[in-house]
Amino acid sequence: MSAKRAERLVNLVIALLGTRQYVTAARIRAIVPGYEPDDGSARADEAFKRMFERDKAELREMGVPLETGRTSVFDTEDGYRIARADYELPEITLTGEEAAAVGLALRLWESAQLAGAAHSALVKLRAAGVDVDADRALPVQPRLDSDEPAFEPCYAAARDRRVLQFDYRRPDEDTPARRHVQPWGVVAWHGRWYLVGLDLDRQAPRAFRLSRVVGTPKATGPEGAFEPPADVELSALVARQAGGEEHLVVVRARPGGAVGLRRWATPLGPAEDGDDRLQLRTTEPWRLADQLAAYGPDVVVESPQAVRAAVVERLTRLAAMGEGA
């Protein structure tokens, strides 16, 4: 299945899950991106009918309970909807060990292909009625280094609750300093691995970037020597320590488009031209510009001007590469 068709099917599922009424084929054609637009020609009508029939058959083959019917006796044609009660997943409960395994698996996804699969899976979960909290969702980063020498000893020490000692070189220091830490966990944040724990020398929580650890960390003392705080948020602690200035970016998105972007954006209401205005928060505006450029004409940056210019520059460069191919 092509990426274009897969995106159209996901959009179709989301549209039909979002209403209790039956939606006619003509309305679906107008609100779901990817279908042949209605230009009044018989050719366009026939193309839409073929695409829609294939999509209905595909959804039913995948087990999607697509219903056909009419909302009232006054309707003149059939419509379609997905019964949420028949499509929602049952409540998912995990033991502590299972949740830890899922969290670790998400953080170990390191290739661009797996990151794309993770994103697709989250979109499908939300379409199926699973409440995915964007504020607490684990960020899946495609550029994680799997060959960090310090990863295995740091992870093992956190798992076994053993005190860890290692030499650590900060960017503003020429000579590494010895650190003694109660490791609470190893976490990925914006493409880097961090050890989070209680710095025993400073008696304060700290995050240490594994690429700055010199040599091999050494675990000392018995297992189970400490317990991490019950309410600690490792990613939040890393974000506070390592994060830069937060930027607010406002974009316009075509209705029904940019599904992945909407997952973590704050809706601002409709624009004058009918597009949806969204607000995005980021500490890495240039990386966000790369993501926005990937949506092409479906997304337009309103502000700030620097991010808008960065997206335009990327799109111009890609267009030039296409012409030269």
Side-chain angles (χ1 to χ4, degrees), residues 234-287:
L234 301 187
S235 295
L237 197 153
V238 173
R240 287 195 299 270
Q241 181 172 319
E245 178 185 357
E246 185 177 65
H247 298 262
L248 298 181
V249 178
V250 177
V251 303
R252 296 199 314 272
R254 288 181 176 176
V259 175
L261 202 64
R262 297 172 186 272
R263 185 171 60 86
W264 55 282
T266 301
L268 297 179
E272 292 182 358
D273 58 2
D275 286 349
D276 299 320
R277 299 181 73 243
L278 309 172
Q279 179 177 273
L280 310 168
R281 297 176 180 269
T282 181
T283 58
E284 297 183 294
W286 312 128
R287 177 175 291 186

Side-chain angles (χ1 to χ4, degrees), residues 1-18 32-33 35 55 58-59 62 64 82 87 119-128 256 258-260:
M1 182 187 299
S2 68
K4 185 176 181 180
R5 186 180 180 194
E7 182 177 0
R8 186 176 71 246
L9 287 174
V10 171
N11 289 336
L12 177 59
V13 169
I14 292 174
L16 296 182
L17 278 171
V32 176
Y35 286 117
D55 288 350
E58 183 77 23
L59 291 180
M62 291 189 296
V64 177
I82 296 173
Y87 191 49
H119 167 73
S120 177
L122 290 177
V123 170
K124 290 178 180 178
L125 284 174
R126 294 199 68 177
V259 175

Side-chain angles (χ1 to χ4, degrees), residues 147-154 164-171 176-179 181 186 193-196 207-218:
D147 58 352
E148 290 283 7
F151 178 89
E152 183 59 34
C154 288
L164 197 63
Q165 65 178 27
F166 54 88
D167 293 330
Y168 188 75
R169 180 185 287 116
R170 293 176 49 184
R178 178 59 57 90
R179 299 296 181 92
V181 176
V186 179
W193 286 109
Y194 291 83
L195 170 70
V196 180
F208 302 91
R209 204 163 100 178
L210 294 192
S211 61
R212 294 175 182 162
V213 173
V214 180
T216 303
K218 180 181 179 182

Side-chain angles (χ1 to χ4, degrees), residues 6-296:
E7 182 177 0
R8 186 176 71 246
L9 287 174
V10 171
N11 289 336
L12 177 59
V13 169
I14 292 174
L16 296 182
L17 278 171
T19 178
R20 295 182 179 179
Q21 298 181 335
Y22 290 97
V23 183
T24 64
R27 180 60 178 161
I28 290 172
R29 184 180 187 179
I31 65 175
V32 176
Y35 286 117
E36 189 75 18
D38 186 1
D39 60 4
S41 68
R43 183 205 61 81
D45 290 343
E46 184 61 29
F48 165 72
K49 290 178 181 178
R50 288 197 304 269
M51 293 174 67
F52 188 47
E53 289 300 322
R54 287 198 302 267
D55 288 350
K56 287 191 296 180
E58 183 77 23
L59 291 180
R60 285 170 173 145
E61 287 179 7
M62 291 189 296
V64 177
L66 184 63
E67 296 181 343
T68 303
R70 302 186 181 188
T71 304
S72 75
V73 295
F74 300 104
D75 291 340
T76 58
E77 60 180 298
D78 288 340
Y80 305 89
R81 71 180 182 185
I82 296 173
R84 182 177 292 271
D86 295 334
Y87 191 49
E88 286 181 344
L89 293 174
E91 182 178 357
I92 299 174
T93 58
L94 300 175
T95 66
E97 291 79 6
E98 290 170 338
V102 171
L104 180 60
L106 283 173
R107 297 194 186 285
L108 288 175
W109 282 348
E110 57 192 20
S111 70
Q113 290 84 358
L114 283 178
H119 167 73
S120 177
L122 290 177
V123 170
K124 290 178 180 178
L125 284 174
R126 294 199 68 177
V130 178
D131 185 15
V132 180
D133 189 339
D135 295 330
R136 295 177 60 85
L138 295 174
V140 181
Q141 302 293 340
R143 297 188 179 90
L144 295 178
D145 240 342
S146 60
D147 58 352
E148 290 283 7
F151 178 89
E152 183 59 34
C154 288
Y155 172 75
R159 178 196 62 203
D160 299 335
R161 304 289 190 258
R162 299 182 67 190
V163 173
L164 197 63
Q165 65 178 27
F166 54 88
D167 293 330
Y168 188 75
R169 180 185 287 116
R170 293 176 49 184
D172 56 350
E173 295 177 341
D174 295 328
T175 304
R178 178 59 57 90
R179 299 296 181 92
H180 301 84
V181 176
Q182 289 182 353
W184 297 341
V186 179
V187 63
W189 191 82
H190 286 276
R192 303 288 185 182
W193 286 109
Y194 291 83
L195 170 70
V196 180
L198 176 65
D199 188 328
L200 297 176
D201 301 308
R202 293 162 176 77
Q203 285 299 305
R206 289 289 187 272
F208 302 91
R209 204 163 100 178
L210 294 192
S211 61
R212 294 175 182 162
V213 173
V214 180
T216 303
K218 180 181 179 182
T220 62
E223 295 184 6
F226 61 89
E227 283 294 328
D231 58 349
V232 66
E233 294 254 358
L234 301 187
S235 295
L237 197 153
V238 173
R240 287 195 299 270
Q241 181 172 319
E245 178 185 357
E246 185 177 65
H247 298 262
L248 298 181
V249 178
V250 177
V251 303
R252 296 199 314 272
R254 288 181 176 176
V259 175
L261 202 64
R262 297 172 186 272
R263 185 171 60 86
W264 55 282
T266 301
L268 297 179
E272 292 182 358
D273 58 2
D275 286 349
D276 299 320
R277 299 181 73 243
L278 309 172
Q279 179 177 273
L280 310 168
R281 297 176 180 269
T282 181
T283 58
E284 297 183 294
W286 312 128
R287 177 175 291 186
L288 177 60
D290 291 334
Q291 298 172 358
L292 296 176
Y295 287 101

